[in-house]
Amino acid sequence: MPTSMVSPRSVGIDFGTTNSVIALGQGGDADLVEFAAPGGKSSVFRSALCFWQEEGVRGGLAHEAGPWAISEFLEFPQGSRFLQSFKSVAANPAFEQATLFERRLRFEELGQVFLEHLVEHTGGALADLPESIVVGRPVRYVGARPDVELARTRYDAMFALLGRPVHYVYEPIGAAFSFASRLTEPATLLVADFGGGTSDFSIVRVNAPGSARRCEPLGSAGIGIAGDRFDYRIMDHLVLPLLGKGGTYRSFDKVLEIPAGHFADFGDWSRLAMMRNRRTLEQLARLKHGATDPAAIARMIAVVEHELGFGLYEAVGGLKRALSGAEHGAFRFESDALTIEAEVSRADFETWIAPDLQRIGETVDGALAQSGLRAEEIDHVFLTGGSSLIPAVRGLFEQRFGEERIATGNELTSIAHGLALIGQSTDLAEWIAEDQA
């Protein structure tokens, strides 16, 4: 869109690893779209999918998304396949397709199924779309060597379902526009966006209201460490040792440590949900036969066969939230195959995630270096995303910038709100992500 044109209407979509949010913009403001859900309407839609076999349905595979997917899975876990955090494989060339019963779906096909239900559950709020749509994307995708071009191709195919041109804007820039709408004076702003898969940082100069350019980008950086990694740290310390991690197995006349690769798929939902296949279960059965502690591997097999991953990660999330508000929290998970109860201190959790926090801090410093600014030149620091509520995460910024400059609020919805504002701005082209420009 030329910078001289102003769109009277806009749509901002925050397609998140854990949650997705949509905002509709008009008249210089933006409102969140509400989604129908089993427990009542909500402006936050879980980024989850559930598939099950059903006669009479096209392709024999029925599906749902969001909270409806969770409801379907909980009703019949053994007969369904549940996917969450699938956004995290967008830039991963090793991920080619998900095997769901007899069908194989590529990332973009999973994305279109998700979008189809996302739009459906708005109850018609997106029936009349504007000419273009603004979609958030991470500053840095998840993975050791993310393929940005591949992610862009997959996103394009996914959002083609909407039938409108799509502009990609860095997610923390969306949050920056949202926070800027609160300001009445010029300021230099650092936005820290903590998603499920990535932590992204952008530094923006916010000009006075009414200026020709409300915001100007100064620097950005990102890292593939965020909420899902913190979850895995809890899994690694409380759950995986009970499933055989750190144990040994016999190979001929040798006793060897069980390879860590057997537990790598517990690192995020997108991989854990795919472990329930014949090949993996046969490998685990062979491992159990030679294991020094076969009962531990039996528990691991039960987690995979009985789809216990969802419940485990719900327990992990409950502990993480508890430790955000108290010095101690309880981890409780109970099933026929596995029961875990543990008291965890906030200090323990902070020790587990300390290496991740160090790398996040280094990434923040990188954003500052790119902008040519010192910490004391930042007027406001806006923390957004679910993991911004973790005290150790907040403390990282308090140490660098001072508590008085930290701001929070609308942790799950600020990105979509800001993207819808950007969609109405006269300089939309200036904010399009570098790989699309």
Side-chain angles (χ1 to χ4, degrees), residues 271-426:
R271 301 200 307 269
L272 176 57
M274 293 293 99
M275 289 182 71
R276 191 178 166 194
N277 61 74
R278 187 174 64 184
R279 181 181 177 184
T280 298
L281 290 171
E282 287 176 350
Q283 290 175 344
L284 293 178
R286 289 194 296 269
L287 180 62
K288 176 187 172 185
H289 180 73
T292 306
D293 183 4
I297 306 304
R299 289 191 288 269
M300 184 178 181
I301 293 171
V303 168
V304 175
E305 282 192 324
H306 299 297
E307 298 277 4
L308 302 183
F310 176 80
L312 281 170
Y313 270 96
E314 287 293 288
V316 165
L319 173 63
K320 198 166 62 171
R321 289 188 293 273
L323 293 177
S324 291
E327 292 294 331
H328 292 83
F331 180 87
R332 292 190 179 89
F333 175 79
E334 186 172 357
S335 72
D336 292 339
L338 179 67
T339 298
I340 307 173
E341 291 189 6
E343 287 292 320
V344 179
S345 70
R346 181 185 289 174
D348 286 338
F349 176 57
E350 291 178 352
T351 299
W352 299 343
I353 66 173
D356 305 318
L357 293 178
Q358 179 178 344
R359 293 186 61 193
I360 287 172
E362 292 168 355
T363 307
V364 173
D365 295 339
L368 285 169
Q370 188 186 98
S371 69
L373 296 175
R374 302 184 305 277
E376 54 267 29
E377 295 178 279
I378 302 295
D379 299 308
H380 302 283
V381 177
F382 179 43
L383 306 183
T384 190
S387 292
S388 67
L389 301 173
I390 296 174
V393 171
R394 182 185 177 99
L396 185 153
F397 291 88
E398 291 177 347
Q399 292 168 11
R400 281 171 168 75
F401 303 100
E403 184 178 359
E404 70 282 356
R405 283 185 272 176
I406 308 298
T408 58
N410 303 319
E411 284 83 7
L412 301 182
T413 59
S414 62
I415 292 175
H417 177 259
L419 293 173
L421 295 179
I422 292 172
Q424 300 174 76
S425 66
T426 58

